[in-house]
Amino acid sequence: MNSHVKTELAPIPFVDIAAQRARLGTRIDDAVARVLNHCRFINGPEVTEFEQQLARFAGAKHAVACSSGTDALAMILMAWGIKAGDAVFCPAFTFCATAEVVPWVGATPVFVDILEDTFNMDPASLEAAIEVAKREGLTPKVVVPVDLFGQPADMDAIEAIANAYGLKVLCDTAQGFGATWNGRRTGSFGAATATSFFPAKPLGCYGDGGAVLTDDDALVPVLKSVREHGQGVDKYENVRLGMTGRLDTIQAAVLLEKLAIFEDEIAARQRVAERYSAALADICAVPAVDPRATSVWAQYTIRLPHGVRDGLAAALQKEGVPTAVYYRLPMHHQPAYAQFPIAGNGLPVCEKLAGEVISLPMHPYLDEAAQDRVIAAVRRALGA
Ligand SMILES: *Cc1c(COP(=O)(O)O)cnc(C)c1O
């Protein structure tokens, strides 16, 4: 291998926020400057404007902006009054926040297996988990489908099971905002949806941010109360427990500019994914998208036989191609979550995929030359 030639090339960014900023020119600077001039840093006019545009984009009736994706999840559970003795069903192959908020309100996360092809919640395992929860004396209350790596979970199957068992559906679309299922955007499914604007998510701000989307008119004032320390009609009356859950006006101003180019960025991500898949399908398991779904490609994640990926990561690193592993340890094996119930004797698909997955650089500004470098490096490393 001629490492000389390759190390001369600058490393490819895994996610390229600088390229997006260059494209937006001075629009973000101007938007932030407007906030600096009006000084309404909390609940300024940009927040309301962003909430309206976000809801319209998702096809939801309401959006309530907030401080992070994690807080969006927590605010929904708090607004619904989920409490000790309640079971909340979460996939075990996800970012920890999906389940982390459940013990915050005293409830119990029950971990569910995933489907091998889409990495998303397995409906059959969800039914098994509901039986486990009942046997343990818990009350099944909420299911949290996660749109992992940008692809919506199987909403047809999950909503059918939720209806049959009387569960509320809380969609975690932190990675899938902007994706579609049966032609409808995420944010328009379930009783409420949580999303995140962490900078590396498909729609990100310049710090922490999130939102709740819902069609439920009655839920909105409760969410807004939770967001402001449980305030009542008067600001200094506290009618419930809440938090400091607001989105900063500056972040809303940033998000308004980014939302304007988001559809175009989703299309660019789709082009990258298609090109990767065409060039790599013969040497590894490339991502499978359900025919009812589109993905926003928060991650482009391939699968390799157990024991192969760390060697691939090291070889790519030498060529300036970064990779990441989401997730090396499923939730039910994390020390902080190991005591919670799971849907059977282990979660075999989560355990298998945790040893096989590796994500390649993915963002809307990855040009064909950079894609070709990634593709060539992967093929070389796998001896293809
Ligand atoms: C990022 C993420 C969250 C949490 O979002 P933050 O804004 O970082 O709090 C929740 N769920 C999933 C699946 C995520 O990927």
Side-chain angles (χ1 to χ4, degrees), residues 327-364:
Y327 298 91
R328 222 171 256 283
L329 204 56
M331 291 299 294
H332 63 299
H333 291 321
Q334 295 283 0
Y337 297 88
Q339 84 266 26
F340 295 118
I342 64 172
N345 300 315
L347 300 173
V349 182
C350 289
E351 279 156 30
K352 178 165 182 267
L353 293 193
E356 298 182 349
V357 291
I358 183 163
S359 304
L360 302 179
M362 167 55 80
H363 58 79

PDB file of all heavy atoms in Angstrom, residues 327-364:
ATOM      1  N   TYR A 327     -24.285   1.200  17.152  1.00  0.00           N
ATOM      2  CA  TYR A 327     -23.832   1.379  18.519  1.00  0.00           C
ATOM      3  C   TYR A 327     -23.094   0.104  18.916  1.00  0.00           C
ATOM      4  O   TYR A 327     -23.550  -0.969  18.594  1.00  0.00           O
ATOM      5  CB  TYR A 327     -25.029   1.636  19.445  1.00  0.00           C
ATOM      6  CG  TYR A 327     -25.734   2.937  19.029  1.00  0.00           C
ATOM      7  CD1 TYR A 327     -26.770   2.904  18.115  1.00  0.00           C
ATOM      8  CD2 TYR A 327     -25.308   4.161  19.525  1.00  0.00           C
ATOM      9  CE1 TYR A 327     -27.379   4.088  17.703  1.00  0.00           C
ATOM     10  CE2 TYR A 327     -25.926   5.347  19.121  1.00  0.00           C
ATOM     11  CZ  TYR A 327     -26.954   5.302  18.203  1.00  0.00           C
ATOM     12  OH  TYR A 327     -27.544   6.458  17.788  1.00  0.00           O
ATOM     13  N   ARG A 328     -22.002   0.233  19.604  1.00  0.00           N
ATOM     14  CA  ARG A 328     -21.177  -0.908  19.958  1.00  0.00           C
ATOM     15  C   ARG A 328     -21.824  -1.759  21.049  1.00  0.00           C
ATOM     16  O   ARG A 328     -21.590  -2.961  21.126  1.00  0.00           O
ATOM     17  CB  ARG A 328     -19.828  -0.384  20.471  1.00  0.00           C
ATOM     18  CG  ARG A 328     -18.634  -1.133  19.990  1.00  0.00           C
ATOM     19  CD  ARG A 328     -17.364  -0.393  20.393  1.00  0.00           C
ATOM     20  NE  ARG A 328     -16.768   0.312  19.283  1.00  0.00           N
ATOM     21  CZ  ARG A 328     -16.054  -0.265  18.315  1.00  0.00           C
ATOM     22  NH1 ARG A 328     -15.847  -1.556  18.334  1.00  0.00           N
ATOM     23  NH2 ARG A 328     -15.561   0.443  17.328  1.00  0.00           N
ATOM     24  N   LEU A 329     -22.594  -1.115  21.885  1.00  0.00           N
ATOM     25  CA  LEU A 329     -23.212  -1.804  23.022  1.00  0.00           C
ATOM     26  C   LEU A 329     -24.703  -1.490  23.030  1.00  0.00           C
ATOM     27  O   LEU A 329     -25.088  -0.335  23.183  1.00  0.00           O
ATOM     28  CB  LEU A 329     -22.548  -1.281  24.312  1.00  0.00           C
ATOM     29  CG  LEU A 329     -22.558  -2.157  25.550  1.00  0.00           C
ATOM     30  CD1 LEU A 329     -21.935  -3.515  25.292  1.00  0.00           C
ATOM     31  CD2 LEU A 329     -21.815  -1.444  26.681  1.00  0.00           C
ATOM     32  N   PRO A 330     -25.551  -2.515  22.854  1.00  0.00           N
ATOM     33  CA  PRO A 330     -26.986  -2.216  22.926  1.00  0.00           C
ATOM     34  C   PRO A 330     -27.369  -1.791  24.348  1.00  0.00           C
ATOM     35  O   PRO A 330     -26.659  -2.081  25.311  1.00  0.00           O
ATOM     36  CB  PRO A 330     -27.660  -3.536  22.525  1.00  0.00           C
ATOM     37  CG  PRO A 330     -26.610  -4.577  22.493  1.00  0.00           C
ATOM     38  CD  PRO A 330     -25.262  -3.927  22.576  1.00  0.00           C
ATOM     39  N   MET A 331     -28.482  -1.078  24.448  1.00  0.00           N
ATOM     40  CA  MET A 331     -28.877  -0.476  25.726  1.00  0.00           C
ATOM     41  C   MET A 331     -28.932  -1.477  26.874  1.00  0.00           C
ATOM     42  O   MET A 331     -28.540  -1.161  27.999  1.00  0.00           O
ATOM     43  CB  MET A 331     -30.251   0.201  25.580  1.00  0.00           C
ATOM     44  CG  MET A 331     -30.252   1.421  24.711  1.00  0.00           C
ATOM     45  SD  MET A 331     -29.182   2.711  25.323  1.00  0.00           S
ATOM     46  CE  MET A 331     -30.020   3.149  26.841  1.00  0.00           C
ATOM     47  N   HIS A 332     -29.454  -2.682  26.617  1.00  0.00           N
ATOM     48  CA  HIS A 332     -29.653  -3.627  27.729  1.00  0.00           C
ATOM     49  C   HIS A 332     -28.330  -4.159  28.267  1.00  0.00           C
ATOM     50  O   HIS A 332     -28.314  -4.803  29.304  1.00  0.00           O
ATOM     51  CB  HIS A 332     -30.608  -4.758  27.335  1.00  0.00           C
ATOM     52  CG  HIS A 332     -30.115  -5.636  26.221  1.00  0.00           C
ATOM     53  ND1 HIS A 332     -29.842  -5.152  24.974  1.00  0.00           N
ATOM     54  CD2 HIS A 332     -29.852  -6.964  26.169  1.00  0.00           C
ATOM     55  CE1 HIS A 332     -29.441  -6.159  24.188  1.00  0.00           C
ATOM     56  NE2 HIS A 332     -29.434  -7.260  24.898  1.00  0.00           N
ATOM     57  N   HIS A 333     -27.216  -3.880  27.574  1.00  0.00           N
ATOM     58  CA  HIS A 333     -25.903  -4.254  28.109  1.00  0.00           C
ATOM     59  C   HIS A 333     -25.161  -3.066  28.712  1.00  0.00           C
ATOM     60  O   HIS A 333     -24.045  -3.207  29.204  1.00  0.00           O
ATOM     61  CB  HIS A 333     -25.032  -4.890  27.021  1.00  0.00           C
ATOM     62  CG  HIS A 333     -25.528  -6.248  26.593  1.00  0.00           C
ATOM     63  ND1 HIS A 333     -26.048  -7.169  27.475  1.00  0.00           N
ATOM     64  CD2 HIS A 333     -25.604  -6.832  25.373  1.00  0.00           C
ATOM     65  CE1 HIS A 333     -26.408  -8.258  26.819  1.00  0.00           C
ATOM     66  NE2 HIS A 333     -26.159  -8.079  25.539  1.00  0.00           N
ATOM     67  N   GLN A 334     -25.746  -1.870  28.641  1.00  0.00           N
ATOM     68  CA  GLN A 334     -25.118  -0.699  29.256  1.00  0.00           C
ATOM     69  C   GLN A 334     -25.279  -0.809  30.776  1.00  0.00           C
ATOM     70  O   GLN A 334     -26.372  -1.119  31.258  1.00  0.00           O
ATOM     71  CB  GLN A 334     -25.806   0.598  28.792  1.00  0.00           C
ATOM     72  CG  GLN A 334     -25.655   0.894  27.313  1.00  0.00           C
ATOM     73  CD  GLN A 334     -24.285   1.440  26.960  1.00  0.00           C
ATOM     74  OE1 GLN A 334     -23.420   1.611  27.835  1.00  0.00           O
ATOM     75  NE2 GLN A 334     -24.073   1.684  25.673  1.00  0.00           N
ATOM     76  N   PRO A 335     -24.196  -0.534  31.533  1.00  0.00           N
ATOM     77  CA  PRO A 335     -24.285  -0.685  32.994  1.00  0.00           C
ATOM     78  C   PRO A 335     -25.493   0.036  33.601  1.00  0.00           C
ATOM     79  O   PRO A 335     -26.150  -0.506  34.492  1.00  0.00           O
ATOM     80  CB  PRO A 335     -22.968  -0.086  33.492  1.00  0.00           C
ATOM     81  CG  PRO A 335     -22.023  -0.246  32.337  1.00  0.00           C
ATOM     82  CD  PRO A 335     -22.852  -0.151  31.086  1.00  0.00           C
ATOM     83  N   ALA A 336     -25.806   1.227  33.114  1.00  0.00           N
ATOM     84  CA  ALA A 336     -26.886   1.997  33.742  1.00  0.00           C
ATOM     85  C   ALA A 336     -28.276   1.444  33.417  1.00  0.00           C
ATOM     86  O   ALA A 336     -29.262   1.844  34.044  1.00  0.00           O
ATOM     87  CB  ALA A 336     -26.811   3.462  33.298  1.00  0.00           C
ATOM     88  N   TYR A 337     -28.365   0.535  32.450  1.00  0.00           N
ATOM     89  CA  TYR A 337     -29.686   0.068  31.994  1.00  0.00           C
ATOM     90  C   TYR A 337     -29.853  -1.441  32.126  1.00  0.00           C
ATOM     91  O   TYR A 337     -30.894  -1.984  31.775  1.00  0.00           O
ATOM     92  CB  TYR A 337     -29.911   0.492  30.537  1.00  0.00           C
ATOM     93  CG  TYR A 337     -29.932   1.995  30.379  1.00  0.00           C
ATOM     94  CD1 TYR A 337     -28.761   2.715  30.171  1.00  0.00           C
ATOM     95  CD2 TYR A 337     -31.127   2.706  30.498  1.00  0.00           C
ATOM     96  CE1 TYR A 337     -28.766   4.094  30.063  1.00  0.00           C
ATOM     97  CE2 TYR A 337     -31.151   4.086  30.397  1.00  0.00           C
ATOM     98  CZ  TYR A 337     -29.957   4.775  30.181  1.00  0.00           C
ATOM     99  OH  TYR A 337     -29.973   6.132  30.093  1.00  0.00           O
ATOM    100  N   ALA A 338     -28.808  -2.123  32.617  1.00  0.00           N
ATOM    101  CA  ALA A 338     -28.827  -3.595  32.612  1.00  0.00           C
ATOM    102  C   ALA A 338     -29.912  -4.178  33.511  1.00  0.00           C
ATOM    103  O   ALA A 338     -30.299  -5.323  33.331  1.00  0.00           O
ATOM    104  CB  ALA A 338     -27.448  -4.122  33.018  1.00  0.00           C
ATOM    105  N   GLN A 339     -30.439  -3.376  34.457  1.00  0.00           N
ATOM    106  CA  GLN A 339     -31.428  -3.958  35.385  1.00  0.00           C
ATOM    107  C   GLN A 339     -32.848  -3.932  34.824  1.00  0.00           C
ATOM    108  O   GLN A 339     -33.749  -4.467  35.436  1.00  0.00           O
ATOM    109  CB  GLN A 339     -31.369  -3.231  36.750  1.00  0.00           C
ATOM    110  CG  GLN A 339     -32.159  -1.937  36.870  1.00  0.00           C
ATOM    111  CD  GLN A 339     -31.302  -0.700  36.561  1.00  0.00           C
ATOM    112  OE1 GLN A 339     -30.319  -0.749  35.829  1.00  0.00           O
ATOM    113  NE2 GLN A 339     -31.700   0.424  37.136  1.00  0.00           N
ATOM    114  N   PHE A 340     -33.054  -3.287  33.672  1.00  0.00           N
ATOM    115  CA  PHE A 340     -34.428  -3.147  33.168  1.00  0.00           C
ATOM    116  C   PHE A 340     -34.842  -4.370  32.345  1.00  0.00           C
ATOM    117  O   PHE A 340     -33.995  -5.054  31.766  1.00  0.00           O
ATOM    118  CB  PHE A 340     -34.544  -1.864  32.347  1.00  0.00           C
ATOM    119  CG  PHE A 340     -34.329  -0.617  33.172  1.00  0.00           C
ATOM    120  CD1 PHE A 340     -33.273   0.241  32.902  1.00  0.00           C
ATOM    121  CD2 PHE A 340     -35.173  -0.325  34.243  1.00  0.00           C
ATOM    122  CE1 PHE A 340     -33.063   1.380  33.667  1.00  0.00           C
ATOM    123  CE2 PHE A 340     -34.964   0.814  35.015  1.00  0.00           C
ATOM    124  CZ  PHE A 340     -33.909   1.669  34.728  1.00  0.00           C
ATOM    125  N   PRO A 341     -36.148  -4.643  32.277  1.00  0.00           N
ATOM    126  CA  PRO A 341     -36.618  -5.844  31.567  1.00  0.00           C
ATOM    127  C   PRO A 341     -36.368  -5.788  30.063  1.00  0.00           C
ATOM    128  O   PRO A 341     -36.292  -4.698  29.477  1.00  0.00           O
ATOM    129  CB  PRO A 341     -38.138  -5.854  31.837  1.00  0.00           C
ATOM    130  CG  PRO A 341     -38.417  -4.783  32.828  1.00  0.00           C
ATOM    131  CD  PRO A 341     -37.245  -3.875  32.896  1.00  0.00           C
ATOM    132  N   ILE A 342     -36.260  -6.957  29.459  1.00  0.00           N
ATOM    133  CA  ILE A 342     -36.105  -7.073  28.007  1.00  0.00           C
ATOM    134  C   ILE A 342     -37.122  -8.086  27.475  1.00  0.00           C
ATOM    135  O   ILE A 342     -37.695  -8.851  28.242  1.00  0.00           O
ATOM    136  CB  ILE A 342     -34.686  -7.486  27.599  1.00  0.00           C
ATOM    137  CG1 ILE A 342     -34.340  -8.881  28.119  1.00  0.00           C
ATOM    138  CG2 ILE A 342     -33.666  -6.477  28.112  1.00  0.00           C
ATOM    139  CD1 ILE A 342     -33.024  -9.413  27.573  1.00  0.00           C
ATOM    140  N   ALA A 343     -37.301  -8.067  26.153  1.00  0.00           N
ATOM    141  CA  ALA A 343     -38.381  -8.835  25.523  1.00  0.00           C
ATOM    142  C   ALA A 343     -38.049 -10.293  25.268  1.00  0.00           C
ATOM    143  O   ALA A 343     -38.332 -10.806  24.221  1.00  0.00           O
ATOM    144  CB  ALA A 343     -38.738  -8.187  24.192  1.00  0.00           C
ATOM    145  N   GLY A 344     -37.438 -11.005  26.171  1.00  0.00           N
ATOM    146  CA  GLY A 344     -37.174 -12.420  25.898  1.00  0.00           C
ATOM    147  C   GLY A 344     -35.844 -12.812  26.482  1.00  0.00           C
ATOM    148  O   GLY A 344     -35.367 -12.180  27.418  1.00  0.00           O
ATOM    149  N   ASN A 345     -35.249 -13.858  25.902  1.00  0.00           N
ATOM    150  CA  ASN A 345     -33.931 -14.303  26.377  1.00  0.00           C
ATOM    151  C   ASN A 345     -32.865 -13.617  25.554  1.00  0.00           C
ATOM    152  O   ASN A 345     -32.381 -14.151  24.582  1.00  0.00           O
ATOM    153  CB  ASN A 345     -33.799 -15.816  26.248  1.00  0.00           C
ATOM    154  CG  ASN A 345     -34.869 -16.521  27.065  1.00  0.00           C
ATOM    155  OD1 ASN A 345     -35.110 -16.150  28.205  1.00  0.00           O
ATOM    156  ND2 ASN A 345     -35.530 -17.486  26.459  1.00  0.00           N
ATOM    157  N   GLY A 346     -32.512 -12.412  25.935  1.00  0.00           N
ATOM    158  CA  GLY A 346     -31.579 -11.631  25.129  1.00  0.00           C
ATOM    159  C   GLY A 346     -32.326 -10.977  23.988  1.00  0.00           C
ATOM    160  O   GLY A 346     -33.515 -11.241  23.765  1.00  0.00           O
ATOM    161  N   LEU A 347     -31.633 -10.096  23.285  1.00  0.00           N
ATOM    162  CA  LEU A 347     -32.212  -9.421  22.123  1.00  0.00           C
ATOM    163  C   LEU A 347     -31.248  -9.743  20.982  1.00  0.00           C
ATOM    164  O   LEU A 347     -30.324  -8.978  20.699  1.00  0.00           O
ATOM    165  CB  LEU A 347     -32.323  -7.916  22.387  1.00  0.00           C
ATOM    166  CG  LEU A 347     -33.212  -7.542  23.589  1.00  0.00           C
ATOM    167  CD1 LEU A 347     -33.130  -6.049  23.891  1.00  0.00           C
ATOM    168  CD2 LEU A 347     -34.672  -7.938  23.347  1.00  0.00           C
ATOM    169  N   PRO A 348     -31.454 -10.924  20.335  1.00  0.00           N
ATOM    170  CA  PRO A 348     -30.402 -11.476  19.468  1.00  0.00           C
ATOM    171  C   PRO A 348     -30.024 -10.592  18.288  1.00  0.00           C
ATOM    172  O   PRO A 348     -28.849 -10.545  17.930  1.00  0.00           O
ATOM    173  CB  PRO A 348     -30.996 -12.814  18.988  1.00  0.00           C
ATOM    174  CG  PRO A 348     -32.439 -12.795  19.367  1.00  0.00           C
ATOM    175  CD  PRO A 348     -32.598 -11.822  20.492  1.00  0.00           C
ATOM    176  N   VAL A 349     -30.976  -9.879  17.714  1.00  0.00           N
ATOM    177  CA  VAL A 349     -30.613  -9.075  16.538  1.00  0.00           C
ATOM    178  C   VAL A 349     -29.785  -7.863  16.977  1.00  0.00           C
ATOM    179  O   VAL A 349     -28.773  -7.528  16.360  1.00  0.00           O
ATOM    180  CB  VAL A 349     -31.867  -8.662  15.733  1.00  0.00           C
ATOM    181  CG1 VAL A 349     -31.458  -7.885  14.494  1.00  0.00           C
ATOM    182  CG2 VAL A 349     -32.689  -9.886  15.362  1.00  0.00           C
ATOM    183  N   CYS A 350     -30.195  -7.209  18.073  1.00  0.00           N
ATOM    184  CA  CYS A 350     -29.388  -6.097  18.613  1.00  0.00           C
ATOM    185  C   CYS A 350     -27.968  -6.568  18.886  1.00  0.00           C
ATOM    186  O   CYS A 350     -26.993  -5.869  18.558  1.00  0.00           O
ATOM    187  CB  CYS A 350     -29.979  -5.582  19.928  1.00  0.00           C
ATOM    188  SG  CYS A 350     -31.514  -4.689  19.748  1.00  0.00           S
ATOM    189  N   GLU A 351     -27.851  -7.736  19.503  1.00  0.00           N
ATOM    190  CA  GLU A 351     -26.521  -8.215  19.889  1.00  0.00           C
ATOM    191  C   GLU A 351     -25.663  -8.523  18.669  1.00  0.00           C
ATOM    192  O   GLU A 351     -24.474  -8.215  18.633  1.00  0.00           O
ATOM    193  CB  GLU A 351     -26.666  -9.427  20.817  1.00  0.00           C
ATOM    194  CG  GLU A 351     -26.942  -8.945  22.234  1.00  0.00           C
ATOM    195  CD  GLU A 351     -27.655  -9.955  23.129  1.00  0.00           C
ATOM    196  OE1 GLU A 351     -27.468 -11.168  22.929  1.00  0.00           O
ATOM    197  OE2 GLU A 351     -28.391  -9.509  24.023  1.00  0.00           O
ATOM    198  N   LYS A 352     -26.295  -9.094  17.637  1.00  0.00           N
ATOM    199  CA  LYS A 352     -25.558  -9.421  16.411  1.00  0.00           C
ATOM    200  C   LYS A 352     -25.117  -8.139  15.691  1.00  0.00           C
ATOM    201  O   LYS A 352     -23.949  -7.977  15.341  1.00  0.00           O
ATOM    202  CB  LYS A 352     -26.493 -10.243  15.512  1.00  0.00           C
ATOM    203  CG  LYS A 352     -25.925 -10.632  14.165  1.00  0.00           C
ATOM    204  CD  LYS A 352     -26.798 -11.743  13.549  1.00  0.00           C
ATOM    205  CE  LYS A 352     -26.232 -12.197  12.215  1.00  0.00           C
ATOM    206  NZ  LYS A 352     -26.808 -11.486  11.088  1.00  0.00           N
ATOM    207  N   LEU A 353     -26.057  -7.214  15.502  1.00  0.00           N
ATOM    208  CA  LEU A 353     -25.730  -6.011  14.717  1.00  0.00           C
ATOM    209  C   LEU A 353     -24.723  -5.111  15.447  1.00  0.00           C
ATOM    210  O   LEU A 353     -23.929  -4.435  14.794  1.00  0.00           O
ATOM    211  CB  LEU A 353     -27.002  -5.230  14.385  1.00  0.00           C
ATOM    212  CG  LEU A 353     -27.968  -5.935  13.433  1.00  0.00           C
ATOM    213  CD1 LEU A 353     -29.014  -4.976  12.915  1.00  0.00           C
ATOM    214  CD2 LEU A 353     -27.254  -6.590  12.268  1.00  0.00           C
ATOM    215  N   ALA A 354     -24.757  -5.126  16.778  1.00  0.00           N
ATOM    216  CA  ALA A 354     -23.794  -4.304  17.533  1.00  0.00           C
ATOM    217  C   ALA A 354     -22.353  -4.700  17.193  1.00  0.00           C
ATOM    218  O   ALA A 354     -21.442  -3.887  17.305  1.00  0.00           O
ATOM    219  CB  ALA A 354     -24.054  -4.436  19.031  1.00  0.00           C
ATOM    220  N   GLY A 355     -22.154  -5.926  16.741  1.00  0.00           N
ATOM    221  CA  GLY A 355     -20.815  -6.378  16.353  1.00  0.00           C
ATOM    222  C   GLY A 355     -20.520  -6.220  14.872  1.00  0.00           C
ATOM    223  O   GLY A 355     -19.404  -6.533  14.435  1.00  0.00           O
ATOM    224  N   GLU A 356     -21.488  -5.784  14.089  1.00  0.00           N
ATOM    225  CA  GLU A 356     -21.319  -5.781  12.625  1.00  0.00           C
ATOM    226  C   GLU A 356     -21.344  -4.399  11.970  1.00  0.00           C
ATOM    227  O   GLU A 356     -20.838  -4.230  10.872  1.00  0.00           O
ATOM    228  CB  GLU A 356     -22.447  -6.612  11.976  1.00  0.00           C
ATOM    229  CG  GLU A 356     -22.447  -8.060  12.370  1.00  0.00           C
ATOM    230  CD  GLU A 356     -23.535  -8.868  11.670  1.00  0.00           C
ATOM    231  OE1 GLU A 356     -24.434  -8.276  11.017  1.00  0.00           O
ATOM    232  OE2 GLU A 356     -23.495 -10.100  11.783  1.00  0.00           O
ATOM    233  N   VAL A 357     -21.972  -3.414  12.627  1.00  0.00           N
ATOM    234  CA  VAL A 357     -22.249  -2.144  11.938  1.00  0.00           C
ATOM    235  C   VAL A 357     -21.058  -1.185  11.944  1.00  0.00           C
ATOM    236  O   VAL A 357     -20.271  -1.155  12.892  1.00  0.00           O
ATOM    237  CB  VAL A 357     -23.453  -1.405  12.580  1.00  0.00           C
ATOM    238  CG1 VAL A 357     -24.755  -2.153  12.323  1.00  0.00           C
ATOM    239  CG2 VAL A 357     -23.236  -1.201  14.073  1.00  0.00           C
ATOM    240  N   ILE A 358     -20.946  -0.416  10.878  1.00  0.00           N
ATOM    241  CA  ILE A 358     -19.972   0.682  10.827  1.00  0.00           C
ATOM    242  C   ILE A 358     -20.526   1.727   9.858  1.00  0.00           C
ATOM    243  O   ILE A 358     -21.082   1.384   8.812  1.00  0.00           O
ATOM    244  CB  ILE A 358     -18.558   0.191  10.439  1.00  0.00           C
ATOM    245  CG1 ILE A 358     -17.549   1.347  10.455  1.00  0.00           C
ATOM    246  CG2 ILE A 358     -18.551  -0.533   9.110  1.00  0.00           C
ATOM    247  CD1 ILE A 358     -16.103   0.883  10.485  1.00  0.00           C
ATOM    248  N   SER A 359     -20.409   3.007  10.245  1.00  0.00           N
ATOM    249  CA  SER A 359     -20.991   4.097   9.451  1.00  0.00           C
ATOM    250  C   SER A 359     -19.901   4.852   8.706  1.00  0.00           C
ATOM    251  O   SER A 359     -18.834   5.133   9.262  1.00  0.00           O
ATOM    252  CB  SER A 359     -21.772   5.052  10.359  1.00  0.00           C
ATOM    253  OG  SER A 359     -22.763   4.333  11.077  1.00  0.00           O
ATOM    254  N   LEU A 360     -20.191   5.180   7.457  1.00  0.00           N
ATOM    255  CA  LEU A 360     -19.247   5.901   6.581  1.00  0.00           C
ATOM    256  C   LEU A 360     -19.586   7.394   6.577  1.00  0.00           C
ATOM    257  O   LEU A 360     -20.697   7.777   6.954  1.00  0.00           O
ATOM    258  CB  LEU A 360     -19.349   5.340   5.156  1.00  0.00           C
ATOM    259  CG  LEU A 360     -19.076   3.834   5.009  1.00  0.00           C
ATOM    260  CD1 LEU A 360     -19.244   3.404   3.548  1.00  0.00           C
ATOM    261  CD2 LEU A 360     -17.682   3.482   5.512  1.00  0.00           C
ATOM    262  N   PRO A 361     -18.654   8.246   6.128  1.00  0.00           N
ATOM    263  CA  PRO A 361     -18.957   9.687   6.077  1.00  0.00           C
ATOM    264  C   PRO A 361     -20.244   9.945   5.284  1.00  0.00           C
ATOM    265  O   PRO A 361     -20.445   9.336   4.226  1.00  0.00           O
ATOM    266  CB  PRO A 361     -17.750  10.283   5.338  1.00  0.00           C
ATOM    267  CG  PRO A 361     -16.638   9.320   5.589  1.00  0.00           C
ATOM    268  CD  PRO A 361     -17.277   7.962   5.654  1.00  0.00           C
ATOM    269  N   MET A 362     -21.112  10.799   5.806  1.00  0.00           N
ATOM    270  CA  MET A 362     -22.380  11.105   5.128  1.00  0.00           C
ATOM    271  C   MET A 362     -22.798  12.527   5.457  1.00  0.00           C
ATOM    272  O   MET A 362     -22.945  12.884   6.629  1.00  0.00           O
ATOM    273  CB  MET A 362     -23.462  10.113   5.584  1.00  0.00           C
ATOM    274  CG  MET A 362     -24.888  10.499   5.206  1.00  0.00           C
ATOM    275  SD  MET A 362     -25.190  10.821   3.454  1.00  0.00           S
ATOM    276  CE  MET A 362     -25.341   9.178   2.781  1.00  0.00           C
ATOM    277  N   HIS A 363     -22.920  13.354   4.428  1.00  0.00           N
ATOM    278  CA  HIS A 363     -23.495  14.693   4.588  1.00  0.00           C
ATOM    279  C   HIS A 363     -23.817  15.215   3.190  1.00  0.00           C
ATOM    280  O   HIS A 363     -23.364  14.643   2.189  1.00  0.00           O
ATOM    281  CB  HIS A 363     -22.546  15.621   5.365  1.00  0.00           C
ATOM    282  CG  HIS A 363     -21.194  15.792   4.746  1.00  0.00           C
ATOM    283  ND1 HIS A 363     -20.983  16.631   3.679  1.00  0.00           N
ATOM    284  CD2 HIS A 363     -19.993  15.216   5.002  1.00  0.00           C
ATOM    285  CE1 HIS A 363     -19.707  16.592   3.336  1.00  0.00           C
ATOM    286  NE2 HIS A 363     -19.091  15.733   4.127  1.00  0.00           N
ATOM    287  N   PRO A 364     -24.619  16.283   3.115  1.00  0.00           N
ATOM    288  CA  PRO A 364     -25.082  16.734   1.789  1.00  0.00           C
ATOM    289  C   PRO A 364     -23.985  17.340   0.922  1.00  0.00           C
ATOM    290  O   PRO A 364     -24.206  17.570  -0.256  1.00  0.00           O
ATOM    291  CB  PRO A 364     -26.134  17.805   2.117  1.00  0.00           C
ATOM    292  CG  PRO A 364     -26.405  17.703   3.571  1.00  0.00           C
ATOM    293  CD  PRO A 364     -25.232  17.057   4.199  1.00  0.00           C
TER     294      PRO A 364
END
